[in-house]
Amino acid sequence: MKTIRGIILVILLLQLGTGLHAEDGYRLWLRYAPVKDHESAVRVQKILENILLCGESDTHAVLRKELKRAAEGMLGIDAAIGAPGEAGEGAGEGYGLIIGIPGSCRYLDGPGFKRLVEGLGSEGYYMGYEPGKERGPLVLTANEPSGLLYGTFHLLRVLQAHGNVPELPLRESPDFRFRLLNHWDNLDRTVERGYAGFSIWDWHRLPDYIDPRYEDYARANASIGINGTVITNVNANALVLTPEYLKKVAALAGVFRPYGIRLYLTARFNAPMELDGLETADPLDREVRDWWKEKAREIYAAIPDFGGFLVKANSEGQPGPQNFGRNHADGANMLAEAVAPYGGIVMWRAFVYSAEIEVDRAKQAYNEFVPLDGQFMENVVIQVKNGPIDFQPREPFHPLFGSMPNTALALELQITQEYLGQATNLAYLAPLFKECLDSDTHKPGKGATVSRIVDGSLNGKELSVLAGVSNIGNDRNWTGHLFGQSNWYSFGRLGWDHDISPEAIAQEWIMLTFGCDKSSASSILEIMMASREAIVDYSTPLGLHHIMARGHHYGPGPWVSGGRPDWTSVYYHRADSMGIGFDRTEHGSNALAQYAPEIRDTWSDPATIPEKYLLWFHHLPWDYVTESGNTLWEELCIRYDRGVKKVRWMKQQWEDLEGEVDHEKHTAVGSLLNIQLKEAEWWRNACLLYFSQFSQRPFPGSIQAPEGDLDEYMKRRFPYAPGIRPRW
Ligand code: BDP
């Protein structure tokens, strides 16, 4: 009787628990929702009820808290987490899970355990049974506490998603050494290209007030393998390097440390001038070099594990070495020298282009950086965006990948959806990330994929960095759109293992986020997998790019012209009475020459280039016949229309899930899909009406003809659209 009452109480408490945590998305993929079926509950309980946690560190304390939280949420039990020295420890008897570094308790003493972790590095882990056994307690071991951290989160993820342990044994280590979020957060708490509220960094109240959200942020990142964060905008403010701000920064670093997360800052190149009145910021000037060395010393005194600097220099108005007649290598090496004694790194961005140079913007970064190959210090990495323009819904891979074999290259992805519908659109980005990672540069030969270049394996580079521009803000659900969480999640998962498929990542995320049944999960998966292509279709099909509205980049703006040509749309689509597209073949800007011959040859010919890149590289007549047999004009119309239809389908598919997923989440996403449909129609209508002025051809009968008035679309203004800096 007593036990039955106990069980009823537990169930009631669990329900109350879920009620208290309304499904507002705050808990991300770490919900630890009650395990639904009995069999799974038994399996999970076997693992989590009695745990032996060997060793002590701040990270161990984190593990203890997390395991307790998981057991309480999933099973309603208070897990017993023993420390070494307890009875039964030597044989591991009575434990479902034993966690520790080899040698950290009697059970993990044997040489067998040491061998298990060989070659796993500082973050890898082994999960399985005691060497030579196929049963007994589950063992999680690693060389360092951070390995235990990633192993624990992996285990909890699989237990939550599948109600079972992962396939064993498991030997895991990350593909990229540095897996970093880049926050474009300003010190006034606005977030450049941020669509989820204001910055989560409460600078004014730091260092004394520690918002509990900082720890939740660290947990979330650690749970998906992210091990670093650049907390300030690349359009940098030197103030963050002052003693007053460094105290605040140090407080954040202290919260992140037990979670294996190192903190990085953006360095404004002329900080020595702005902060201390030096006459120059010339990287070869002795005084300037000493200034940075002293600054590094000061930072490391406050934050011993400070990660290093991220720098945007000589780009979009940011100062850089070229202001002083020096080059990017001079600038990067000066900073690298300052942080090298402490093990710090410098991430120097390749996103440089200038309106003064009369060269296709897509070619400029390559032109500037390739001659510097081999001139950067070992602790410098050149951070390259996935494509040569700017995070468009679809871009070919950046030609710098493969072109600087003697330099470590980082890949910068954009998690925030600046050009993919911001936070009103559902866009699952793992397919976009993967498309770039899997691209074969053919430099120096077949199989030289972007992922192998960036993870360092192709050219034997130690330093490997995957960076993602964050989509996090202080909105209750962190990312504005609930599905934005899936992009943060995918970034982390791909940073750990770039071979996982977007489908597999989405499946995990869906189970963790919605905990729904299999058929609902597969409907959600279909929506996610269709979403990115839908956006490409209704905004920039067939390789069109950079035709969004000016400044805030919200909505269509194919008519944008005037001012800096490389910030207009007409510069990129080049529509005229003859046709449309940017000729980047040898007859045009010859950007194709920056790619390997295999690629250049295939892409130079409109008949052999993958159609998704057609207008990126070719200016073609409106009557050019595409793969489908339609003319280019017809195909363009059909794709714009197809994108809209896809969103209509996504909306319907989501509506059908009513009652299958949590009500609060269902309503929020449903409302946003209504907005997305309006925006998709707006893109299609505006772009097709605009381009039809040049094509002078009728809309094909098979599409829904665009509605509205072009003038009205052109007059739309959004003075307070989010994510924009006032001076843009
Ligand atoms: C563009 C953004 C701009 C950023 C820039 C960058 O529109 O706000 O500052 O990239 O990456 O996508 O530096």
Side-chain angles (χ1 to χ4, degrees):
M1 189 58 191
K2 233 179 162 182
T3 27
I4 292 178
R5 239 188 272 145
I7 291 170
I8 292 173
L9 191 67
V10 165
I11 292 171
L12 283 175
L13 283 174
L14 282 177
Q15 283 171 350
L16 196 67
T18 30
L20 282 177
H21 295 286
E23 289 281 1
D24 55 14
Y26 182 81
R27 290 181 301 156
L28 297 158
W29 46 86
L30 295 169
R31 289 158 60 245
Y32 300 129
V35 179
K36 281 194 199 129
D37 68 291
H38 180 69
E39 268 173 47
S40 304
V42 170
R43 281 196 300 258
V44 175
Q45 183 151 350
K46 207 173 133 227
I47 306 288
L48 295 183
E49 198 170 23
N50 258 309
I51 301 169
L52 176 62
L53 180 60
C54 307
E56 266 311 319
S57 74
D58 291 345
T59 300
H60 280 73
V62 158
L63 296 185
R64 184 178 300 271
K65 255 201 292 189
E66 199 65 33
L67 288 161
K68 286 252 181 206
R69 189 197 289 250
E72 195 196 324
M74 288 197 269
L75 304 161
I77 61 168
D78 181 14
I81 305 190
E86 290 188 351
E89 183 224 310
E93 254 160 49
Y95 295 108
L97 174 63
I98 298 182
I99 303 179
I101 291 167
S104 60
C105 59
R106 262 190 297 141
Y107 182 82
L108 294 171
D109 250 353
F113 289 105
K114 265 224 143 72
R115 243 171 277 134
L116 288 179
V117 295
E118 267 166 25
L120 287 177
S122 60
E123 297 185 313
Y125 57 86
Y126 167 90
M127 201 188 299
Y129 299 106
E130 192 180 322
K133 296 201 177 160
E134 277 178 21
R135 52 178 56 225
L138 184 63
V139 178
L140 169 61
T141 184
N143 288 308
E144 306 265 347
S146 48
L148 303 178
L149 180 77
Y150 297 125
T152 300
F153 274 118
H154 186 121
L155 175 65
L156 293 177
R157 172 168 62 236
V158 178
L159 289 178
Q160 278 190 91
H162 306 295
N164 206 349
V165 290
E167 244 181 74
L168 299 173
L170 198 68
R171 280 174 62 84
E172 283 279 329
S173 56
D175 283 343
F176 302 99
R177 205 167 124 208
F178 298 94
R179 307 169 298 278
L180 266 55
L181 286 184
N182 287 188
H183 286 264
W184 286 356
D185 293 19
N186 300 313
L187 299 183
D188 64 2
R189 295 193 77 170
T190 55
V191 180
E192 186 157 341
R193 312 310 176 185
Y195 311 102
F198 288 90
S199 171
I200 56 173
W201 319 129
D202 185 355
W203 291 107
H204 187 65
R205 289 193 284 177
L206 277 164
D208 299 316
Y209 175 68
I210 301 293
D211 190 329
R213 204 162 181 153
Y214 303 149
E215 190 171 350
D216 288 333
Y217 166 85
R219 279 179 64 222
N221 280 325
S223 76
I224 50 175
I226 290 172
N227 67 358
T229 178
V230 187
I231 59 172
T232 46
N233 192 353
V234 286
N235 294 314
N237 187 336
L239 209 59
V240 78
L241 300 174
T242 58
E244 201 199 344
Y245 271 86
L246 287 176
K247 277 192 212 125
K248 301 170 188 273
V249 174
L252 288 173
V255 178
F256 301 160
R257 192 165 296 121
Y259 289 90
I261 293 167
R262 290 170 103 188
L263 189 149
Y264 301 72
L265 292 174
T266 46
R268 183 152 166 94
F269 199 76
N270 64 1
M273 299 168 77
E274 289 188 1
L275 296 182
D276 283 322
L278 265 63
E279 289 201 338
T280 174
D282 178 352
L284 299 189
D285 182 277
R286 178 61 28 223
E287 222 189 320
V288 173
R289 297 174 83 82
D290 288 346
W291 189 92
W292 282 108
K293 281 190 187 148
E294 178 52 25
K295 189 49 76 184
R297 199 199 51 72
E298 187 187 335
I299 296 176
Y300 280 95
I303 311 162
D305 57 349
F306 178 67
F309 293 123
L310 169 65
V311 189
K312 171 174 178 177
N314 293 121
S315 163
E316 299 185 335
Q318 291 301 301
Q322 293 173 349
N323 300 45
F324 310 95
R326 313 295 181 191
N327 66 30
H328 289 290
D330 298 327
N333 291 342
M334 172 192 62
L335 293 173
E337 201 178 78
V339 295
Y342 315 94
I345 63 168
V346 170
M347 294 159 288
W348 191 269
R349 296 179 84 228
F351 182 67
V352 297
Y353 64 99
S354 155
E356 272 83 67
I357 306 175
E358 281 275 310
V359 171
D360 174 6
R361 172 171 161 189
K363 291 174 66 177
Q364 294 190 24
Y366 177 103
N367 289 349
E368 282 209 42
F369 279 90
V370 170
L372 300 176
D373 186 27
Q375 294 181 30
F376 294 94
M377 278 177 62
E378 280 296 301
N379 60 333
V380 175
V381 61
I382 302 302
Q383 184 161 311
V384 185
K385 290 188 182 185
N386 56 295
I389 297 291
D390 190 9
F391 299 137
Q392 293 300 293
R394 167 162 280 127
E395 299 202 21
F397 67 89
H398 201 300
L400 272 175
F401 292 115
S403 305
M404 295 183 72
N406 303 306
T407 307
L409 296 185
L411 168 60
E412 179 178 310
L413 300 165
Q414 195 182 46
I415 308 171
T416 192
Q417 296 161 227
E418 178 177 358
Y419 302 102
L420 286 104
Q422 307 186 352
T424 47
N425 285 196
L426 190 165
Y428 176 51
L429 299 183
L432 186 164
F433 299 163
K434 216 24 196 158
E435 189 170 89
C436 177
L437 284 163
D438 290 349
S439 294
D440 192 343
T441 67
H442 288 272
K443 283 187 181 176
K446 200 169 162 33
T449 55
V450 171
S451 59
R452 292 189 57 216
I453 290 162
V454 177
D455 73 15
S457 59
L458 191 74
N459 302 312
K461 290 272 161 234
E462 278 286 303
L463 186 51
S464 64
V465 179
L466 187 73
V469 180
S470 151
N471 60 350
I472 298 164
N474 69 353
D475 272 8
R476 181 70 191 155
N477 73 0
W478 301 85
T479 53
H481 199 302
L482 179 73
F483 279 75
Q485 296 181 0
S486 69
N487 297 327
W488 177 8
Y489 184 87
S490 315
F491 171 77
R493 298 289 289 125
L494 286 169
W496 186 273
D497 178 356
H498 55 59
D499 289 328
I500 333 180
S501 71
E503 287 86 348
I505 299 174
Q507 267 156 352
E508 274 175 23
W509 179 80
I510 292 167
M511 290 315 289
L512 299 173
T513 305
F514 298 105
C516 49
D517 63 34
K518 283 217 167 84
S519 105
S520 308
S522 77
S523 302
I524 300 174
L525 180 67
E526 281 173 16
I527 296 176
M528 289 172 78
M529 292 308 295
S531 59
R532 187 265 188 138
E533 290 301 336
I535 293 186
V536 170
D537 276 348
Y538 66 71
S539 62
T540 52
L542 291 167
L544 284 177
H545 51 286
H546 204 293
I547 56 169
M548 65 289 163
R550 202 200 288 271
H552 49 62
H553 298 168
Y554 172 64
W559 47 81
V560 170
S561 62
R564 260 184 88 151
D566 54 352
W567 283 358
T568 67
S569 302
V570 294
Y571 174 94
Y572 297 96
H573 65 65
R574 307 198 168 206
D576 54 26
S577 60
M578 306 298 289
I580 183 169
F582 198 132
D583 186 353
R584 293 192 164 108
T585 68
E586 58 184 340
H587 309 294
S589 81
N590 207 12
L592 268 172
Q594 297 181 337
Y595 290 90
E598 289 81 350
I599 296 202
R600 192 191 316 149
D601 294 348
T602 328
W603 293 4
S604 287
D605 183 349
T608 51
I609 188 172
E611 221 163 45
K612 59 187 178 187
Y613 302 135
L614 192 62
L615 302 177
W616 189 285
F617 290 104
H618 296 275
H619 185 86
L620 295 169
W622 295 109
D623 289 329
Y624 172 81
V625 180
T626 61
E627 274 168 31
S628 58
N630 296 318
T631 66
L632 178 57
W633 169 245
E634 288 163 346
E635 189 63 20
L636 200 66
C637 294
I638 288 167
R639 296 213 183 194
Y640 270 108
D641 193 54
R642 184 171 84 182
V644 174
K645 288 190 175 125
K646 227 343 85 68
V647 178
R648 204 166 285 138
W649 170 86
M650 284 161 60
K651 182 168 122 58
Q652 185 57 52
Q653 180 102 337
W654 184 259
E655 276 166 15
D656 294 345
L657 285 163
E658 172 144 36
E660 303 299 323
V661 299
D662 169 78
H663 178 69
E664 198 171 339
K665 287 179 174 165
H666 188 263
T667 312
V669 171
S671 311
L672 291 173
L673 280 165
N674 289 335
I675 298 182
Q676 184 164 0
L677 180 57
K678 281 194 208 159
E679 291 179 359
E681 287 168 343
W682 171 29
W683 267 97
R684 178 199 59 192
N685 295 344
C687 291
L688 289 184
L689 289 172
Y690 172 80
F691 289 131
S692 70
Q693 302 177 111
F694 302 97
S695 78
Q696 298 287 329
R697 282 156 177 78
F699 300 109
S702 61
I703 74 156
Q704 190 187 333
E707 288 158 8
D709 172 29
L710 181 58
D711 276 345
E712 187 273 323
Y713 292 127
M714 289 172 66
K715 281 195 196 119
R716 288 190 183 183
R717 293 289 176 271
F718 304 91
Y720 300 113
I724 182 174
R725 275 184 302 156
R727 71 171 189 77
W728 283 97

